[in-house]
Amino acid sequence: MATIQDVAKAAGVSAMTVSNVINGHPNVRPATRERVLEAVDRLGYRVNVAARNLRRGRTGTICLAVPEINRPYYGRLAASIIAAAARHGLRVSIEQTGARRENELAALSLSRNRLYDGLILSTVGMGPADVGALDVDHPVVILGERIFGGPVDHVAMPNEAASEAATRHLVERGCRRIAIVCGRLGGEVDVSSLRHAGYLRALAAAGLPADPELVVTAGSFTMQEAARRVRERMAEGLAFDGVFCVTDTVAMGVLRALADAGVRVPEQVRVIGFDNVDESAYLVPSLSTVDPDHDLMAERAVTLLAARIERSGPGPEREEFTGPFRLVVRESTGG
Amino acid sequence: MATIQDVAKAAGVSAMTVSNVINGHPNVRPATRERVLEAVDRLGYRVNVAARNLRRGRTGTICLAVPEINRPYYGRLAASIIAAAARHGLRVSIEQTGARRENELAALSLSRNRLYDGLILSTVGMGPADVGALDVDHPVVILGERIFGGPVDHVAMPNEAASEAATRHLVERGCRRIAIVCGRLGGEVDVSSLRHAGYLRALAAAGLPADPELVVTAGSFTMQEAARRVRERMAEGLAFDGVFCVTDTVAMGVLRALADAGVRVPEQVRVIGFDNVDESAYLVPSLSTVDPDHDLMAERAVTLLAARIERSGPGPEREEFTGPFRLVVRESTGG
DNA sequence: TTGTAGGCGTTATCAC
DNA sequence: GTGATAACGCCTACAA
């Protein structure tokens, strides 16, 4: 495997000149450049990235840590982030945390190995109590709802506002007993509690009572768990004419449970989700939802991270970014 | 940021001893080990992976190149591969090729930068004509249907057999005019042609005519494209009582198109897919499909790659592995 | 059991 | 415009 020295020798120049040519530095005479490129070609030379990384103190790779790549929302996010990173000349390595706190903390220290130039961490297991763990000496961007006001940049979803809009939409379609399917509400700040808050706000604004009975809690945001819990609650007699699901994936489970119970959507129950995953438009009935503009959030996260990597110092104020959203009305709410 | 030298100094030993402790080498006196570990802890030392990579000539990272991570099948695959790689002590970096031949070829040469120890390449754009490009000097495993008999290990799906079983299932359920929704059949070896062959075999075995009219070709394996083409063909008068879809994603598009046309599944048309993606069980109607055991294929691919990396030589015979499958009967075929 | 020397391949610096 | 030198931080030999 040819090294830069081999090329230099073959082209009758110094290694430095080869390096300059390869990295597109100015101040190389065209004729010299030609000769070098010819030699590069002839020897099939490729730079050794490990050596370059060592020398530059950069790896050109960032890490994306998400619960599991095989979930519509995180897949969507990853695709956007990989694409955005490529635009910044960065590669992306993916770490799966399984939504476990310890794995999220491990991801934080992995980057300390200088394995990655920076980390985009989707916090699901970590909570406000772990803010201290974020105080690391390498660039980190948090993408999640569990931690606010930490010592790092934060890209968040428009949780409350979008949830309020989704719930309001159900109200406007005539729903009066609106359920919510979410995770356990433990008082901590997380996706469920934020979206639940938006739901409550919409109910209050519409003058509807907030019946705690209508809160269906699932252990995880999976189709399986959502379907199971809704079936259970319906068997216990829970009745509702609208349901706001914390994610589209959860909504898919709910749609399935309703179908099993012979409930027609949207005639008897209207359903709305959150995320606007690709599948949502193709479900039968197609799923109304709110679209948080994943591409924009991904772009923002990568841009923030890239900027910190570039500066490689403490840098300016930490940024807190909350994306926009739009309501997507489809069949499941009678759209 | 502390280096191994700093630790050595702090512990009053040589860098070599620190290295030995870190890498768990024997022949280090317990007392010395203690002192070193204490210093490591105190200074917050982490090895510099770039330096280690340079020295070792390994990066500990493999590349997974897939069309797009945000597609149920590739998401599923990626999740399995990342998990399998972790068991082998390997990290996974993901490259999105967009199913474009040139990007797949680029992935092949990326590894040559010694950026990655090996590559798992999902070939979709490349064809048999590109077999030559596979003749590289670093470990590669092909995961796909476009290339057989190349100079590298190959993990393939049970395309024909599983497609035949899926189609046979439709026959057994009483279907007589069975359509197939696949990609363009250009004579080349690819997912569509292999699964189409299985479909034909099942028809032949059942003594059913193979009406070319019943072949619906889509430009890509997306819900959108599948739905669009099926709508078009139905508008042109195409009639069928069963349909085999080359992937579950395609099947979702088809289910949507049928719903739009007011066709009831499975009463009027039975539908079966391929992949057994997570969503399939929760669709309404739930989707019958064939399950190719993604975990096993992922494990096999990673094991083959890891073995080649370990040997780091030409190694033994190239391996051709075709996974098993099982039929999953659900509502869409009246299950 | 521990230490010394050297080099993996690249590039920043500075001299020419 | 080009080249010599010196690291970047680690680990494989070998020596002690």
Side-chain angles (χ1 to χ4, degrees):
Chain A
M1 189 108 284
T3 75
I4 203 169
Q5 304 287 353
D6 300 334
V7 176
K9 211 167 295 172
V13 297
S14 78
M16 216 34 240
T17 301
V18 177
S19 175
N20 284 334
V21 169
I22 287 168
N23 295 293
H25 287 201
N27 298 344
V28 178
R29 200 182 304 162
T32 314
R33 161 169 288 118
E34 280 317 307
R35 243 176 332 135
V36 169
L37 289 178
E38 186 274 331
V40 164
D41 227 45
R42 188 153 46 80
L43 301 183
Y45 168 77
R46 319 309 301 302
V47 299
N48 181 323
V49 183
R52 170 181 283 177
N53 287 346
L54 175 58
R55 183 58 244 223
R56 299 226 252 237
R58 292 267 185 84
T59 65
T61 299
I62 63 173
C63 176
L64 171 65
V66 293
E68 211 202 335
I69 194 68
N70 181 33
R71 294 196 198 168
Y73 167 64
Y74 292 109
R76 178 85 169 70
L77 187 69
S80 294
I81 283 186
I82 292 172
R87 288 195 290 277
H88 288 263
L90 293 165
R91 282 171 299 279
V92 177
S93 199
I94 291 180
E95 210 72 44
Q96 297 193 111
T97 62
R100 309 247 312 275
R101 173 174 170 276
E102 63 199 84
N103 292 339
E104 292 174 4
L105 291 172
L108 277 164
S109 72
L110 250 189
S111 317
R112 276 178 63 197
N113 291 5
R114 285 90 131 217
L115 232 182
Y116 308 120
D117 293 342
L119 169 70
I120 296 180
L121 175 62
S122 199
T123 48
V124 178
M126 289 172 59
D130 298 307
V131 167
L134 295 177
D135 202 3
V136 294
D137 55 4
H138 57 270
V140 173
V141 171
I142 293 294
L143 205 59
E145 327 303 325
R146 292 279 289 162
I147 291 173
F148 283 86
V152 295
D153 292 321
H154 182 195
V155 172
M157 291 206 172
N159 289 294
E160 279 205 47
S163 300
E164 184 179 359
T167 309
R168 185 169 55 235
H169 172 66
L170 292 175
V171 172
E172 287 166 0
R173 290 290 157 121
C175 301
R176 285 301 168 265
R177 274 187 64 77
I178 302 176
I180 177 173
V181 181
C182 55
R184 276 184 267 284
L185 298 172
E188 293 213 14
V189 174
D190 59 14
V191 177
S192 288
S193 63
L194 291 168
R195 297 188 185 172
H196 179 249
Y199 156 85
L200 289 183
R201 229 160 53 186
L203 293 187
L208 292 173
D211 184 352
E213 275 297 300
L214 290 168
V215 178
V216 178
T217 56
S220 63
F221 293 176
T222 59
M223 296 176 284
Q224 182 178 24
E225 183 59 10
R228 190 180 67 76
R229 287 296 290 139
V230 169
R231 276 192 207 104
E232 282 178 13
R233 294 296 303 279
M234 288 178 72
E236 291 166 23
L238 180 66
F240 51 95
D241 57 6
V243 55
F244 165 54
C245 308
V246 277
T247 72
D248 282 4
T249 298
V250 163
M252 285 185 65
V254 171
L255 285 174
R256 183 65 235 182
L258 291 172
D260 290 339
V263 173
R264 292 196 313 283
V265 176
E267 293 82 358
Q268 295 173 271
V269 169
R270 294 174 198 266
V271 179
I272 190 164
F274 195 118
D275 275 347
N276 196 24
V277 148
D278 286 354
E279 286 76 9
S280 301
Y282 290 86
L283 298 176
V284 182
S286 57
L287 181 66
S288 293
T289 188
V290 283
D291 184 334
D293 200 338
H294 302 281
D295 282 337
L296 179 65
M297 288 181 56
E299 176 62 45
R300 198 92 201 93
V302 171
T303 302
L304 285 170
L305 193 65
R308 297 245 175 240
I309 292 171
E310 223 48 66
R311 275 191 236 99
S312 74
E317 272 309 282
R318 305 301 159 174
E319 184 165 334
E320 197 87 29
F321 175 81
T322 301
F325 73 91
R326 72 194 166 83
L327 189 68
V328 180
V329 179
R330 300 204 183 98
E331 294 168 353
S332 69
T333 56
Chain B
M1 189 107 283
T3 75
I4 204 171
Q5 303 288 352
D6 300 335
V7 176
K9 210 167 295 170
V13 298
S14 79
M16 215 31 245
T17 302
V18 178
S19 175
N20 284 332
V21 169
I22 288 169
N23 295 295
H25 287 199
N27 298 344
V28 179
R29 198 182 304 161
T32 315
R33 159 168 290 116
E34 280 316 308
R35 243 176 332 132
V36 170
L37 289 178
E38 186 274 330
V40 163
D41 226 45
R42 188 152 45 80
L43 300 183
Y45 169 77
R46 317 313 297 307
V47 299
N48 181 323
V49 182
R52 171 181 283 176
N53 287 346
L54 176 57
R55 186 58 242 235
R56 298 225 252 237
R58 291 267 185 86
T59 65
T61 299
I62 62 173
C63 175
L64 171 65
V66 293
E68 211 203 333
I69 193 70
N70 181 33
R71 293 195 199 170
Y73 167 64
Y74 293 110
R76 179 83 169 67
L77 186 69
S80 295
I81 285 187
I82 293 173
R87 287 195 290 276
H88 288 262
L90 293 166
R91 283 170 300 278
V92 177
S93 197
I94 291 180
E95 211 70 43
Q96 297 193 109
T97 61
R100 310 248 311 276
R101 172 174 171 276
E102 63 199 84
N103 292 340
E104 291 174 4
L105 292 172
L108 276 164
S109 71
L110 251 188
S111 317
R112 276 178 65 200
N113 291 3
R114 286 91 132 215
L115 231 182
Y116 308 120
D117 293 343
L119 169 70
I120 296 180
L121 175 61
S122 198
T123 47
V124 178
M126 289 172 59
D130 298 307
V131 166
L134 295 176
D135 201 4
V136 293
D137 55 4
H138 57 268
V140 173
V141 172
I142 293 294
L143 206 59
E145 328 305 325
R146 292 277 289 162
I147 292 175
F148 284 86
V152 295
D153 292 321
H154 182 196
V155 173
M157 290 206 174
N159 289 294
E160 280 205 46
S163 301
E164 184 179 359
T167 309
R168 185 169 55 235
H169 172 65
L170 292 176
V171 171
E172 288 166 359
R173 290 291 156 119
C175 300
R176 284 304 168 262
R177 275 187 63 75
I178 302 176
I180 177 173
V181 181
C182 55
R184 276 185 267 283
L185 299 171
E188 295 212 11
V189 174
D190 59 15
V191 177
S192 288
S193 63
L194 291 167
R195 296 188 187 171
H196 178 248
Y199 157 84
L200 289 183
R201 228 158 56 187
L203 293 188
L208 292 173
D211 184 351
E213 274 298 299
L214 289 168
V215 178
V216 178
T217 56
S220 64
F221 293 176
T222 59
M223 294 176 284
Q224 183 179 23
E225 183 61 9
R228 190 180 67 77
R229 289 294 292 140
V230 169
R231 279 193 205 103
E232 281 178 14
R233 294 296 303 278
M234 288 178 73
E236 290 166 25
L238 180 66
F240 51 94
D241 58 8
V243 54
F244 166 54
C245 307
V246 277
T247 72
D248 282 4
T249 299
V250 163
M252 285 184 66
V254 171
L255 285 174
R256 184 64 235 184
L258 291 172
D260 289 340
V263 174
R264 292 195 313 283
V265 175
E267 294 82 357
Q268 295 173 270
V269 170
R270 293 173 201 266
V271 179
I272 191 164
F274 195 119
D275 274 348
N276 197 22
V277 146
D278 286 353
E279 286 77 9
S280 301
Y282 290 86
L283 297 177
V284 181
S286 56
L287 181 67
S288 293
T289 188
V290 282
D291 185 333
D293 200 337
H294 302 281
D295 283 336
L296 179 63
M297 289 182 54
E299 178 60 44
R300 198 93 200 92
V302 172
T303 302
L304 285 171
L305 193 66
R308 297 246 176 239
I309 291 171
E310 224 46 68
R311 275 191 236 99
S312 74
E317 272 308 282
R318 305 301 159 172
E319 183 164 336
E320 197 87 28
F321 175 81
T322 301
F325 73 92
R326 71 193 167 85
L327 188 68
V328 181
V329 179
R330 300 205 183 97
E331 294 168 354
S332 68
T333 56

Short mmCIF file of all heavy atoms in Angstrom, two decimals, chain A residues 22 33 52 62 69 138 253 265 277 312 315:
data_model
loop_
_atom_site.label_atom_id
_atom_site.label_comp_id
_atom_site.label_asym_id
_atom_site.label_seq_id
_atom_site.Cartn_x
_atom_site.Cartn_y
_atom_site.Cartn_z
N ILE A 22 -2.63 17.05 -2.68
CA ILE A 22 -3.80 16.28 -2.26
C ILE A 22 -4.83 17.12 -1.54
O ILE A 22 -6.03 16.95 -1.71
CB ILE A 22 -3.35 15.12 -1.34
CG1 ILE A 22 -2.65 14.07 -2.19
CG2 ILE A 22 -4.52 14.53 -0.58
CD1 ILE A 22 -1.94 13.05 -1.38
N ARG A 33 1.94 19.80 -9.97
CA ARG A 33 0.66 19.16 -9.61
C ARG A 33 0.39 17.99 -10.54
O ARG A 33 0.04 16.89 -10.09
CB ARG A 33 -0.46 20.19 -9.68
CG ARG A 33 -1.86 19.57 -9.79
CD ARG A 33 -2.98 20.57 -9.59
NE ARG A 33 -3.05 20.97 -8.19
CZ ARG A 33 -2.86 22.20 -7.74
NH1 ARG A 33 -2.60 23.16 -8.59
NH2 ARG A 33 -2.95 22.45 -6.45
N ARG A 52 -3.69 10.77 9.17
CA ARG A 52 -4.15 12.14 9.05
C ARG A 52 -4.90 12.56 10.33
O ARG A 52 -4.70 13.66 10.85
CB ARG A 52 -5.07 12.27 7.84
CG ARG A 52 -5.78 13.58 7.77
CD ARG A 52 -6.69 13.66 6.58
NE ARG A 52 -5.94 13.89 5.35
CZ ARG A 52 -6.50 13.93 4.15
NH1 ARG A 52 -7.80 13.73 4.02
NH2 ARG A 52 -5.78 14.18 3.09
N ILE A 62 -18.48 12.01 13.26
CA ILE A 62 -19.27 12.31 14.46
C ILE A 62 -20.09 11.09 14.82
O ILE A 62 -20.30 10.22 13.98
CB ILE A 62 -20.20 13.54 14.28
CG1 ILE A 62 -21.22 13.26 13.18
CG2 ILE A 62 -19.38 14.77 13.96
CD1 ILE A 62 -22.28 14.35 13.06
N ILE A 69 -31.95 2.31 15.76
CA ILE A 69 -32.03 2.87 14.41
C ILE A 69 -33.26 2.35 13.68
O ILE A 69 -33.78 2.98 12.77
CB ILE A 69 -30.73 2.54 13.65
CG1 ILE A 69 -30.62 3.37 12.38
CG2 ILE A 69 -30.62 1.08 13.34
CD1 ILE A 69 -30.42 4.81 12.66
N HIS A 138 -15.69 17.99 24.88
CA HIS A 138 -15.78 17.86 23.43
C HIS A 138 -17.19 18.23 23.00
O HIS A 138 -18.12 18.18 23.81
CB HIS A 138 -15.43 16.44 22.99
CG HIS A 138 -16.27 15.40 23.64
ND1 HIS A 138 -15.94 14.81 24.84
CD2 HIS A 138 -17.45 14.87 23.28
CE1 HIS A 138 -16.88 13.94 25.16
NE2 HIS A 138 -17.81 13.96 24.24
N GLY A 253 -50.03 1.54 16.62
CA GLY A 253 -50.49 0.53 17.57
C GLY A 253 -51.94 0.79 17.97
O GLY A 253 -52.75 -0.13 18.08
N VAL A 265 -62.47 4.27 12.35
CA VAL A 265 -61.74 5.54 12.36
C VAL A 265 -61.90 6.16 10.98
O VAL A 265 -61.68 5.48 9.97
CB VAL A 265 -60.24 5.29 12.64
CG1 VAL A 265 -59.45 6.59 12.55
CG2 VAL A 265 -60.04 4.61 14.00
N VAL A 277 -44.10 10.44 10.11
CA VAL A 277 -43.24 9.41 9.57
C VAL A 277 -43.70 9.05 8.15
O VAL A 277 -44.86 9.25 7.82
CB VAL A 277 -43.37 8.22 10.56
CG1 VAL A 277 -43.23 6.91 9.87
CG2 VAL A 277 -42.39 8.40 11.70
N SER A 312 -13.42 24.58 18.27
CA SER A 312 -12.64 23.77 19.20
C SER A 312 -12.20 24.55 20.44
O SER A 312 -11.08 24.44 20.89
CB SER A 312 -11.42 23.19 18.49
OG SER A 312 -10.45 24.19 18.26
N GLY A 315 -16.18 28.44 23.10
CA GLY A 315 -17.17 28.99 22.19
C GLY A 315 -18.21 29.84 22.89
O GLY A 315 -18.18 30.01 24.10
#
